[in-house]
Amino acid sequence: QVTLRESGPALVKPTQTLTLTCTFSGFSLSTSGMCVSWLRQPPGKALEWLALIDWDDDKYYSTSLKTRLTISKDTSKNQVVLTMTNMDPVDTATYYCARMPYSRTFDIWGQGTMVTVSS
Amino acid sequence: DIQMTQSPSTLSASVGDRVTITCRASQSISSWLAWYQQKPGKAPKLLIYDASSLESGVPSRFSGSGSGTEFTLTISSLQPDDFATYYCQQYNSEWTFGQGTKVEIK
């Protein structure tokens, strides 16, 4: 059974750096073609893709956010970590990680973690 | 960036109705399109990929069609479990979503 679970702070202050961890099971990120992405969804709004890391450690970032994002993986721990710098209230959202076979669709998602940016 | 536009934004329907949601891409994406269902407080669920392929375990009342820039998701006979928000997503160039279509009870 494939599962993903996001973890991280529920509340961050403006200008702080957010660090989120995706811990997964049931698949390996060292398998050729396998990828994991981070996405977010502000309250009542649409989904937005943020970043992707693949089995070969290639990384891709949203054009609008790439200066603020860093994605990394620890294959031995089955974890993918996202950092987002200089957090702002507009970054308040539910953040999801999702599995992406062959970097196409998001076929399995975590349950999401709500992050609020407020002083 | 490729922009995805869904219509309508909200759709009111009754159980048993045939429902169609449209998704348009700002440029051709071939058949690189997926559809997701999301219920309140839950993560999205993949329904359709490659524009018309049904994800394993998804009921056959869901179907997708289209190519290029215009796509549709059809629910042949709406069931109580289908009231949700639906999103299209392109994967031709990076990954972008439509703004969503909420299917509500009439």
Side-chain angles (χ1 to χ4, degrees):
Chain A
Q1 182 188 7
V2 173
T3 64
L4 302 97
R5 185 183 75 251
E6 305 87 351
S7 58
L11 179 66
V12 298
K13 290 180 169 30
T15 76
Q16 286 186 337
T17 293
L18 171 69
T19 299
L20 295 172
T21 300
C22 175
T23 303
F24 57 88
S25 63
F27 69 97
S28 174
L29 197 41
S30 57
T31 300
S32 179
M34 194 57 68
C35 311
V36 170
S37 269
W38 282 95
L39 308 95
R40 70 179 179 180
Q41 185 173 38
K45 296 190 177 181
L47 297 153
E48 178 184 21
W49 169 77
L50 300 176
L52 176 156
I53 191 164
D54 71 14
W55 80 100
D56 205 25
D57 210 35
D58 289 325
K59 301 159 188 174
Y60 303 86
Y61 297 101
S62 164
T63 303
S64 60
L65 292 167
K66 66 184 304 179
T67 61
R68 299 173 53 205
L69 298 173
T70 303
I71 192 169
S72 63
K73 65 183 173 76
D74 185 331
T75 305
S76 65
K77 292 183 178 179
N78 282 350
Q79 290 182 333
V80 172
V81 175
L82 180 77
T83 63
M84 180 180 291
T85 61
N86 194 25
M87 293 293 284
D88 183 271
V90 300
D91 297 314
T92 294
T94 297
Y95 286 76
Y96 295 98
C97 61
R99 189 181 79 159
M100 286 181 84
Y102 303 101
S103 63
R104 294 171 58 182
T105 58
F106 309 97
D107 72 336
I108 308 292
W109 297 61
Q111 85 280 6
T113 186
M114 178 67 193
V115 177
T116 301
V117 185
S118 175
S119 54
Chain B
D1 288 7
I2 298 176
Q3 309 301 319
M4 306 301 292
T5 304
Q6 290 181 232
S7 60
S9 296
T10 306
L11 187 160
S12 297
S14 302
V15 172
D17 284 353
R18 182 181 181 88
V19 167
T20 298
I21 299 168
T22 297
C23 177
R24 290 186 174 86
S26 60
Q27 64 188 74
S28 178
I29 58 170
S30 186
S31 295
W32 304 124
L33 185 100
W35 290 96
Y36 299 81
Q37 176 193 67
Q38 187 179 32
K39 296 182 179 180
K42 300 294 187 183
K45 173 187 174 183
L46 177 64
L47 300 175
I48 302 279
Y49 62 94
D50 294 352
S52 60
S53 296
L54 198 66
E55 177 72 350
S56 176
V58 173
S60 59
R61 62 181 180 271
F62 291 92
S63 63
S65 65
S67 66
T69 61
E70 188 150 336
F71 302 86
T72 59
L73 172 71
T74 299
I75 309 172
S76 60
S77 177
L78 198 65
Q79 298 302 300
D81 191 48
D82 301 337
F83 291 97
T85 299
Y86 294 84
Y87 292 94
C88 61
Q89 174 239 325
Q90 67 82 20
Y91 44 100
N92 180 76
S93 174
E94 295 198 343
W95 303 270
T96 51
F97 291 83
Q99 82 279 15
T101 295
K102 183 178 181 180
V103 177
E104 60 180 26
I105 300 173
K106 190 172 184 178

PDB file of all heavy atoms in Angstrom, chain A residues 49-70:
ATOM      1  N   TRP A  49       1.008  23.535  -8.249  1.00  0.00           N
ATOM      2  CA  TRP A  49       2.211  22.717  -8.150  1.00  0.00           C
ATOM      3  C   TRP A  49       3.398  23.601  -7.753  1.00  0.00           C
ATOM      4  O   TRP A  49       3.545  24.719  -8.255  1.00  0.00           O
ATOM      5  CB  TRP A  49       2.495  22.045  -9.492  1.00  0.00           C
ATOM      6  CG  TRP A  49       3.843  21.400  -9.534  1.00  0.00           C
ATOM      7  CD1 TRP A  49       4.205  20.208  -8.968  1.00  0.00           C
ATOM      8  CD2 TRP A  49       5.016  21.928 -10.149  1.00  0.00           C
ATOM      9  NE1 TRP A  49       5.535  19.968  -9.193  1.00  0.00           N
ATOM     10  CE2 TRP A  49       6.054  20.998  -9.913  1.00  0.00           C
ATOM     11  CE3 TRP A  49       5.300  23.087 -10.870  1.00  0.00           C
ATOM     12  CZ2 TRP A  49       7.359  21.205 -10.386  1.00  0.00           C
ATOM     13  CZ3 TRP A  49       6.588  23.295 -11.335  1.00  0.00           C
ATOM     14  CH2 TRP A  49       7.602  22.361 -11.091  1.00  0.00           C
ATOM     15  N   LEU A  50       4.254  23.078  -6.862  1.00  0.00           N
ATOM     16  CA  LEU A  50       5.379  23.859  -6.362  1.00  0.00           C
ATOM     17  C   LEU A  50       6.739  23.324  -6.830  1.00  0.00           C
ATOM     18  O   LEU A  50       7.577  24.077  -7.319  1.00  0.00           O
ATOM     19  CB  LEU A  50       5.369  23.873  -4.833  1.00  0.00           C
ATOM     20  CG  LEU A  50       4.137  24.456  -4.154  1.00  0.00           C
ATOM     21  CD1 LEU A  50       4.260  24.298  -2.647  1.00  0.00           C
ATOM     22  CD2 LEU A  50       3.948  25.914  -4.545  1.00  0.00           C
ATOM     23  N   ALA A  51       6.971  22.040  -6.615  1.00  0.00           N
ATOM     24  CA  ALA A  51       8.306  21.501  -6.877  1.00  0.00           C
ATOM     25  C   ALA A  51       8.227  20.000  -7.065  1.00  0.00           C
ATOM     26  O   ALA A  51       7.317  19.346  -6.563  1.00  0.00           O
ATOM     27  CB  ALA A  51       9.257  21.834  -5.729  1.00  0.00           C
ATOM     28  N   LEU A  52       9.232  19.469  -7.787  1.00  0.00           N
ATOM     29  CA  LEU A  52       9.308  18.040  -8.074  1.00  0.00           C
ATOM     30  C   LEU A  52      10.742  17.576  -7.941  1.00  0.00           C
ATOM     31  O   LEU A  52      11.671  18.300  -8.316  1.00  0.00           O
ATOM     32  CB  LEU A  52       8.798  17.776  -9.497  1.00  0.00           C
ATOM     33  CG  LEU A  52       8.867  16.361 -10.090  1.00  0.00           C
ATOM     34  CD1 LEU A  52       7.812  16.232 -11.187  1.00  0.00           C
ATOM     35  CD2 LEU A  52      10.241  16.023 -10.663  1.00  0.00           C
ATOM     36  N   ILE A  53      10.919  16.372  -7.416  1.00  0.00           N
ATOM     37  CA  ILE A  53      12.226  15.731  -7.402  1.00  0.00           C
ATOM     38  C   ILE A  53      12.060  14.330  -7.951  1.00  0.00           C
ATOM     39  O   ILE A  53      11.049  13.658  -7.669  1.00  0.00           O
ATOM     40  CB  ILE A  53      12.850  15.726  -5.982  1.00  0.00           C
ATOM     41  CG1 ILE A  53      14.313  15.298  -6.022  1.00  0.00           C
ATOM     42  CG2 ILE A  53      12.039  14.885  -5.003  1.00  0.00           C
ATOM     43  CD1 ILE A  53      15.088  15.638  -4.755  1.00  0.00           C
ATOM     44  N   ASP A  54      13.021  13.908  -8.787  1.00  0.00           N
ATOM     45  CA  ASP A  54      12.878  12.588  -9.379  1.00  0.00           C
ATOM     46  C   ASP A  54      13.921  11.596  -8.869  1.00  0.00           C
ATOM     47  O   ASP A  54      14.788  11.948  -8.072  1.00  0.00           O
ATOM     48  CB  ASP A  54      12.866  12.673 -10.910  1.00  0.00           C
ATOM     49  CG  ASP A  54      14.224  13.026 -11.506  1.00  0.00           C
ATOM     50  OD1 ASP A  54      15.252  12.951 -10.803  1.00  0.00           O
ATOM     51  OD2 ASP A  54      14.255  13.398 -12.698  1.00  0.00           O
ATOM     52  N   TRP A  55      13.809  10.370  -9.357  1.00  0.00           N
ATOM     53  CA  TRP A  55      14.656   9.272  -8.891  1.00  0.00           C
ATOM     54  C   TRP A  55      16.140   9.550  -9.112  1.00  0.00           C
ATOM     55  O   TRP A  55      16.988   9.031  -8.382  1.00  0.00           O
ATOM     56  CB  TRP A  55      14.243   7.983  -9.604  1.00  0.00           C
ATOM     57  CG  TRP A  55      14.805   7.855 -10.989  1.00  0.00           C
ATOM     58  CD1 TRP A  55      15.886   7.119 -11.390  1.00  0.00           C
ATOM     59  CD2 TRP A  55      14.337   8.529 -12.162  1.00  0.00           C
ATOM     60  NE1 TRP A  55      16.113   7.279 -12.727  1.00  0.00           N
ATOM     61  CE2 TRP A  55      15.174   8.125 -13.236  1.00  0.00           C
ATOM     62  CE3 TRP A  55      13.288   9.411 -12.432  1.00  0.00           C
ATOM     63  CZ2 TRP A  55      14.981   8.589 -14.539  1.00  0.00           C
ATOM     64  CZ3 TRP A  55      13.101   9.868 -13.729  1.00  0.00           C
ATOM     65  CH2 TRP A  55      13.948   9.460 -14.753  1.00  0.00           C
ATOM     66  N   ASP A  56      16.425  10.401 -10.117  1.00  0.00           N
ATOM     67  CA  ASP A  56      17.800  10.707 -10.488  1.00  0.00           C
ATOM     68  C   ASP A  56      18.293  11.990  -9.801  1.00  0.00           C
ATOM     69  O   ASP A  56      19.345  12.515 -10.169  1.00  0.00           O
ATOM     70  CB  ASP A  56      17.888  10.861 -12.003  1.00  0.00           C
ATOM     71  CG  ASP A  56      19.274  10.568 -12.537  1.00  0.00           C
ATOM     72  OD1 ASP A  56      20.027   9.811 -11.876  1.00  0.00           O
ATOM     73  OD2 ASP A  56      19.630  11.092 -13.608  1.00  0.00           O
ATOM     74  N   ASP A  57      17.512  12.492  -8.855  1.00  0.00           N
ATOM     75  CA  ASP A  57      17.813  13.709  -8.100  1.00  0.00           C
ATOM     76  C   ASP A  57      17.720  14.973  -8.954  1.00  0.00           C
ATOM     77  O   ASP A  57      18.259  16.020  -8.591  1.00  0.00           O
ATOM     78  CB  ASP A  57      19.183  13.646  -7.416  1.00  0.00           C
ATOM     79  CG  ASP A  57      19.201  14.483  -6.126  1.00  0.00           C
ATOM     80  OD1 ASP A  57      18.166  14.540  -5.443  1.00  0.00           O
ATOM     81  OD2 ASP A  57      20.236  15.100  -5.834  1.00  0.00           O
ATOM     82  N   ASP A  58      17.040  14.905 -10.093  1.00  0.00           N
ATOM     83  CA  ASP A  58      16.734  16.124 -10.839  1.00  0.00           C
ATOM     84  C   ASP A  58      15.606  16.847 -10.131  1.00  0.00           C
ATOM     85  O   ASP A  58      14.691  16.219  -9.584  1.00  0.00           O
ATOM     86  CB  ASP A  58      16.330  15.782 -12.274  1.00  0.00           C
ATOM     87  CG  ASP A  58      17.519  15.299 -13.078  1.00  0.00           C
ATOM     88  OD1 ASP A  58      18.636  15.800 -12.862  1.00  0.00           O
ATOM     89  OD2 ASP A  58      17.321  14.400 -13.926  1.00  0.00           O
ATOM     90  N   LYS A  59      15.662  18.179 -10.161  1.00  0.00           N
ATOM     91  CA  LYS A  59      14.710  18.995  -9.425  1.00  0.00           C
ATOM     92  C   LYS A  59      14.088  20.033 -10.349  1.00  0.00           C
ATOM     93  O   LYS A  59      14.779  20.599 -11.212  1.00  0.00           O
ATOM     94  CB  LYS A  59      15.414  19.681  -8.250  1.00  0.00           C
ATOM     95  CG  LYS A  59      16.032  18.674  -7.287  1.00  0.00           C
ATOM     96  CD  LYS A  59      17.124  19.278  -6.428  1.00  0.00           C
ATOM     97  CE  LYS A  59      17.818  18.199  -5.637  1.00  0.00           C
ATOM     98  NZ  LYS A  59      18.976  18.680  -4.872  1.00  0.00           N
ATOM     99  N   TYR A  60      12.797  20.274 -10.168  1.00  0.00           N
ATOM    100  CA  TYR A  60      12.066  21.234 -10.969  1.00  0.00           C
ATOM    101  C   TYR A  60      11.232  22.099 -10.029  1.00  0.00           C
ATOM    102  O   TYR A  60      10.682  21.592  -9.050  1.00  0.00           O
ATOM    103  CB  TYR A  60      11.156  20.529 -11.973  1.00  0.00           C
ATOM    104  CG  TYR A  60      11.898  19.594 -12.898  1.00  0.00           C
ATOM    105  CD1 TYR A  60      12.163  18.281 -12.516  1.00  0.00           C
ATOM    106  CD2 TYR A  60      12.372  20.039 -14.122  1.00  0.00           C
ATOM    107  CE1 TYR A  60      12.861  17.421 -13.350  1.00  0.00           C
ATOM    108  CE2 TYR A  60      13.069  19.181 -14.965  1.00  0.00           C
ATOM    109  CZ  TYR A  60      13.318  17.870 -14.564  1.00  0.00           C
ATOM    110  OH  TYR A  60      14.013  17.033 -15.388  1.00  0.00           O
ATOM    111  N   TYR A  61      11.141  23.386 -10.357  1.00  0.00           N
ATOM    112  CA  TYR A  61      10.439  24.309  -9.492  1.00  0.00           C
ATOM    113  C   TYR A  61       9.454  25.163 -10.275  1.00  0.00           C
ATOM    114  O   TYR A  61       9.679  25.485 -11.446  1.00  0.00           O
ATOM    115  CB  TYR A  61      11.431  25.244  -8.794  1.00  0.00           C
ATOM    116  CG  TYR A  61      12.405  24.535  -7.877  1.00  0.00           C
ATOM    117  CD1 TYR A  61      13.708  24.263  -8.283  1.00  0.00           C
ATOM    118  CD2 TYR A  61      12.018  24.144  -6.605  1.00  0.00           C
ATOM    119  CE1 TYR A  61      14.603  23.607  -7.442  1.00  0.00           C
ATOM    120  CE2 TYR A  61      12.898  23.491  -5.758  1.00  0.00           C
ATOM    121  CZ  TYR A  61      14.189  23.224  -6.190  1.00  0.00           C
ATOM    122  OH  TYR A  61      15.068  22.576  -5.344  1.00  0.00           O
ATOM    123  N   SER A  62       8.373  25.559  -9.593  1.00  0.00           N
ATOM    124  CA  SER A  62       7.442  26.519 -10.156  1.00  0.00           C
ATOM    125  C   SER A  62       8.201  27.786 -10.522  1.00  0.00           C
ATOM    126  O   SER A  62       8.980  28.308  -9.720  1.00  0.00           O
ATOM    127  CB  SER A  62       6.359  26.826  -9.121  1.00  0.00           C
ATOM    128  OG  SER A  62       5.652  27.993  -9.460  1.00  0.00           O
ATOM    129  N   THR A  63       7.965  28.273 -11.729  1.00  0.00           N
ATOM    130  CA  THR A  63       8.670  29.462 -12.205  1.00  0.00           C
ATOM    131  C   THR A  63       8.457  30.647 -11.261  1.00  0.00           C
ATOM    132  O   THR A  63       9.389  31.387 -10.955  1.00  0.00           O
ATOM    133  CB  THR A  63       8.175  29.837 -13.616  1.00  0.00           C
ATOM    134  OG1 THR A  63       8.369  28.726 -14.480  1.00  0.00           O
ATOM    135  CG2 THR A  63       8.909  31.050 -14.141  1.00  0.00           C
ATOM    136  N   SER A  64       7.231  30.792 -10.761  1.00  0.00           N
ATOM    137  CA  SER A  64       6.914  31.972  -9.947  1.00  0.00           C
ATOM    138  C   SER A  64       7.502  31.890  -8.546  1.00  0.00           C
ATOM    139  O   SER A  64       7.601  32.911  -7.868  1.00  0.00           O
ATOM    140  CB  SER A  64       5.397  32.146  -9.864  1.00  0.00           C
ATOM    141  OG  SER A  64       4.800  30.999  -9.273  1.00  0.00           O
ATOM    142  N   LEU A  65       7.889  30.698  -8.093  1.00  0.00           N
ATOM    143  CA  LEU A  65       8.366  30.539  -6.724  1.00  0.00           C
ATOM    144  C   LEU A  65       9.786  29.994  -6.631  1.00  0.00           C
ATOM    145  O   LEU A  65      10.289  29.764  -5.519  1.00  0.00           O
ATOM    146  CB  LEU A  65       7.427  29.603  -5.950  1.00  0.00           C
ATOM    147  CG  LEU A  65       6.021  30.146  -5.681  1.00  0.00           C
ATOM    148  CD1 LEU A  65       5.100  29.033  -5.200  1.00  0.00           C
ATOM    149  CD2 LEU A  65       6.068  31.262  -4.642  1.00  0.00           C
ATOM    150  N   LYS A  66      10.442  29.790  -7.755  1.00  0.00           N
ATOM    151  CA  LYS A  66      11.705  29.033  -7.738  1.00  0.00           C
ATOM    152  C   LYS A  66      12.797  29.667  -6.893  1.00  0.00           C
ATOM    153  O   LYS A  66      13.647  28.956  -6.349  1.00  0.00           O
ATOM    154  CB  LYS A  66      12.195  28.806  -9.162  1.00  0.00           C
ATOM    155  CG  LYS A  66      12.612  30.018  -9.922  1.00  0.00           C
ATOM    156  CD  LYS A  66      12.987  29.647 -11.359  1.00  0.00           C
ATOM    157  CE  LYS A  66      14.062  28.582 -11.395  1.00  0.00           C
ATOM    158  NZ  LYS A  66      14.424  28.185 -12.775  1.00  0.00           N
ATOM    159  N   THR A  67      12.756  30.990  -6.734  1.00  0.00           N
ATOM    160  CA  THR A  67      13.814  31.623  -5.933  1.00  0.00           C
ATOM    161  C   THR A  67      13.638  31.338  -4.447  1.00  0.00           C
ATOM    162  O   THR A  67      14.562  31.564  -3.663  1.00  0.00           O
ATOM    163  CB  THR A  67      13.829  33.140  -6.164  1.00  0.00           C
ATOM    164  OG1 THR A  67      12.569  33.683  -5.762  1.00  0.00           O
ATOM    165  CG2 THR A  67      14.101  33.476  -7.623  1.00  0.00           C
ATOM    166  N   ARG A  68      12.471  30.854  -4.047  1.00  0.00           N
ATOM    167  CA  ARG A  68      12.185  30.638  -2.635  1.00  0.00           C
ATOM    168  C   ARG A  68      12.153  29.162  -2.235  1.00  0.00           C
ATOM    169  O   ARG A  68      12.045  28.849  -1.049  1.00  0.00           O
ATOM    170  CB  ARG A  68      10.836  31.256  -2.284  1.00  0.00           C
ATOM    171  CG  ARG A  68      10.751  32.765  -2.503  1.00  0.00           C
ATOM    172  CD  ARG A  68       9.327  33.279  -2.291  1.00  0.00           C
ATOM    173  NE  ARG A  68       8.831  32.860  -0.995  1.00  0.00           N
ATOM    174  CZ  ARG A  68       7.537  32.728  -0.701  1.00  0.00           C
ATOM    175  NH1 ARG A  68       6.611  32.990  -1.609  1.00  0.00           N
ATOM    176  NH2 ARG A  68       7.147  32.363   0.511  1.00  0.00           N
ATOM    177  N   LEU A  69      12.200  28.267  -3.198  1.00  0.00           N
ATOM    178  CA  LEU A  69      11.985  26.848  -2.920  1.00  0.00           C
ATOM    179  C   LEU A  69      13.260  26.022  -3.055  1.00  0.00           C
ATOM    180  O   LEU A  69      14.100  26.294  -3.925  1.00  0.00           O
ATOM    181  CB  LEU A  69      10.951  26.273  -3.888  1.00  0.00           C
ATOM    182  CG  LEU A  69       9.545  26.850  -3.836  1.00  0.00           C
ATOM    183  CD1 LEU A  69       8.700  26.289  -4.982  1.00  0.00           C
ATOM    184  CD2 LEU A  69       8.895  26.557  -2.505  1.00  0.00           C
ATOM    185  N   THR A  70      13.361  25.021  -2.190  1.00  0.00           N
ATOM    186  CA  THR A  70      14.399  24.001  -2.318  1.00  0.00           C
ATOM    187  C   THR A  70      13.769  22.660  -1.983  1.00  0.00           C
ATOM    188  O   THR A  70      13.109  22.528  -0.955  1.00  0.00           O
ATOM    189  CB  THR A  70      15.579  24.261  -1.370  1.00  0.00           C
ATOM    190  OG1 THR A  70      16.132  25.558  -1.617  1.00  0.00           O
ATOM    191  CG2 THR A  70      16.674  23.210  -1.569  1.00  0.00           C
TER     192      THR A  70
END
